[in-house]
Amino acid sequence: GIFAALFYALYGIFVVFCQILAVPWALYMQWLEPGAQDWFQNSFLTVICSQAPLAWLFLRWLLTSDHFLTKIVPMIREEQERSGRLPCIGRHWQCAYGGISVIVQCLYVIWLYIIWGKYLDYSKSHKSKFPISPLEITLVALPVTFPYRLLAPMLLCQIFSVMAKLHIARMEEYQARHRGRNSGKTLFQLLQRNIGDREAEEQAWACGFLISVGLPCISVAMLVVLFMGWPEYVIEHWFFPSYVLHLVVQSAQTFVSAAQITSKSKKVRLEIVEMIVVHEATFTEHGFQVEAYITYLSNYYQGFCVLGTLITNELVIQLGNGLALTALTSAVRWLVHM
């Protein structure tokens, strides 16, 4: 009814407020310590605080898009009918998210308590016209609304992980259909459907993948520059390295999920060809048609691509090694400075 619609509208406004509240964090710091930060430090704060509202905007678009309604929802129903349960992320990821989220929220509250001390010094020299100053309201609202800002990026990578599981289940079903004697035309139609759905997923998730993976990588790069050039700034703003780590964990899950699609696709291609060679899979069509089917399968049933880049396990390992080396170098420099 009208009350439900009104509640939904008010709740939507509240969520928007929660998501964008921290974006001008650099401005808040300028109010507390005028001239204490330069443009690069302000840019770092803006980039890292922008991921939550961008993730929320993408999720808002995705869950109401034709792609979600016409592609993802039918795949969810198929998986539920086939296995009797809904797809979900693994328990190890759930434990990792739960533990890191609790730690990050506790660190955020502690860090804001320290910032509150700076506000008390600020308020002594800046009398507000109001009983409660806008900055004071902001500093109180930031920890209260922080769980909403943690939730959007987490949901983004979890939905991507579920989507990857759906595509993998489709591939397993497609492979199972090859056992025995089958119509090549029917299997070719299934193959085209899977390829079309995967390509539609790549297009739909181009921006989402950049938000989930690109922004954390940019944040890590900027944090390394801060470690190298302004280690005292990183020490003073010690909360943000832990928040970047939280984002990197989400980025890792997104990358791993995309790489799983690629590795599963490669495995299915090889196993189907092997089934044909040993006559576990036979066709009602002639030999040249089967040859054409195998050629099409080998050339077009590829993995998950983002902006033309194929996401593979090798790429994930290379990026992981690069991040680990960067983190180790930065940590050593930080310890030396301390």
Side-chain angles (χ1 to χ4, degrees):
I2 187 172
F3 291 105
L6 180 61
F7 174 80
Y8 181 78
L10 292 175
Y11 180 75
I13 295 173
F14 172 73
V15 172
V16 172
F17 169 76
C18 293
Q19 298 299 336
I20 66 175
L21 180 62
V23 174
W25 185 258
L27 179 61
Y28 305 151
M29 298 306 296
Q30 287 290 345
W31 285 347
L32 291 174
E33 298 178 295
Q37 299 186 143
D38 63 11
W39 67 270
F40 188 82
Q41 295 164 351
N42 290 335
S43 300
F44 169 72
L45 293 177
T46 303
V47 168
I48 196 173
C49 293
S50 296
Q51 178 161 1
L54 289 175
W56 180 81
L57 286 173
F58 178 79
L59 285 175
R60 180 85 174 179
W61 169 82
L62 177 68
L63 298 178
T64 57
S65 65
D66 291 337
H67 170 75
F68 185 81
L69 298 176
T70 60
K71 300 290 185 181
I72 301 300
V73 172
M75 292 172 68
I76 293 174
R77 290 172 179 168
E78 288 176 15
E79 177 62 16
Q80 189 175 16
E81 292 175 0
R82 187 179 68 85
S83 63
R85 58 183 177 83
L86 293 173
C88 61
I89 64 172
R91 290 186 177 181
H92 58 289
W93 284 113
Q94 293 178 3
C95 293
Y97 279 132
I100 294 177
S101 297
V102 171
I103 293 173
V104 169
Q105 290 188 52
C106 292
L107 292 176
Y108 190 62
V109 172
I110 295 172
W111 187 67
L112 281 178
Y113 178 78
I114 297 174
I115 296 298
W116 185 261
K118 293 184 178 181
Y119 168 74
L120 293 178
D121 295 336
Y122 169 85
S123 61
K124 291 178 182 178
S125 56
H126 297 78
K127 297 298 182 181
S128 175
K129 301 178 182 178
F130 308 99
I132 302 178
S133 69
L135 185 57
E136 185 175 351
I137 296 174
T138 302
L139 290 177
V140 172
L142 282 169
V144 175
T145 58
F146 187 60
Y148 282 91
R149 292 191 293 279
L150 277 181
L151 187 61
M154 288 173 58
L155 286 177
L156 181 63
C157 63
Q158 289 182 20
I159 289 176
F160 185 85
S161 179
V162 170
M163 178 276 302
K165 290 180 179 294
L166 291 172
H167 282 277
I168 290 173
R170 273 268 184 96
M171 285 187 261
E172 292 173 346
E173 179 191 7
Y174 166 69
Q175 181 183 1
R177 292 286 296 271
H178 283 76
R179 298 193 180 277
R181 190 169 179 80
N182 295 280
S183 167
K185 181 179 180 181
T186 301
L187 294 175
F188 181 69
Q189 290 172 345
L190 288 175
L191 176 59
Q192 285 188 312
R193 181 199 66 173
N194 288 354
I195 293 175
D197 289 347
R198 189 206 63 220
E199 290 177 345
E201 206 73 60
E202 292 171 353
Q203 295 175 4
W205 276 90
C207 290
F209 202 90
L210 291 176
I211 293 170
S212 183
V213 176
L215 285 182
C217 290
I218 294 173
S219 300
V220 169
M222 298 182 76
L223 183 61
V224 170
V225 174
L226 289 173
F227 267 118
M228 299 300 182
W230 301 273
E232 65 283 351
Y233 177 85
V234 180
I235 294 173
E236 183 179 359
H237 297 78
W238 52 266
F239 163 74
F240 288 104
S242 64
Y243 187 57
V244 170
L245 174 62
H246 176 70
L247 298 179
V248 168
V249 171
Q250 299 169 20
S251 174
Q253 184 192 359
T254 304
F255 245 107
V256 169
S257 298
Q260 286 175 345
I261 297 177
T262 301
S263 60
K264 185 65 177 180
S265 177
K266 180 180 179 180
K267 183 180 178 182
V268 166
R269 290 198 311 269
L270 293 175
E271 290 182 353
I272 289 176
V273 173
E274 290 173 359
M275 291 168 65
I276 296 173
V277 170
V278 300
H279 293 282
E280 287 184 16
T282 57
F283 299 87
T284 58
E285 287 79 8
H286 298 291
F288 68 89
Q289 292 174 306
V290 176
E291 247 182 81
Y293 173 74
I294 295 175
T295 302
Y296 189 90
L297 171 66
S298 302
N299 292 332
Y300 292 100
Y301 205 33
Q302 303 297 323
F304 194 87
C305 295
V306 177
L307 300 178
T309 302
L310 185 65
I311 308 300
T312 63
N313 289 326
E314 292 75 15
L315 180 60
V316 173
I317 292 172
Q318 290 176 3
L319 289 175
N321 291 337
L323 287 175
L325 180 61
T326 300
L328 180 61
T329 304
S330 302
V332 169
R333 183 177 179 84
W334 191 18
L335 291 174
V336 170
H337 183 270
M338 292 180 66

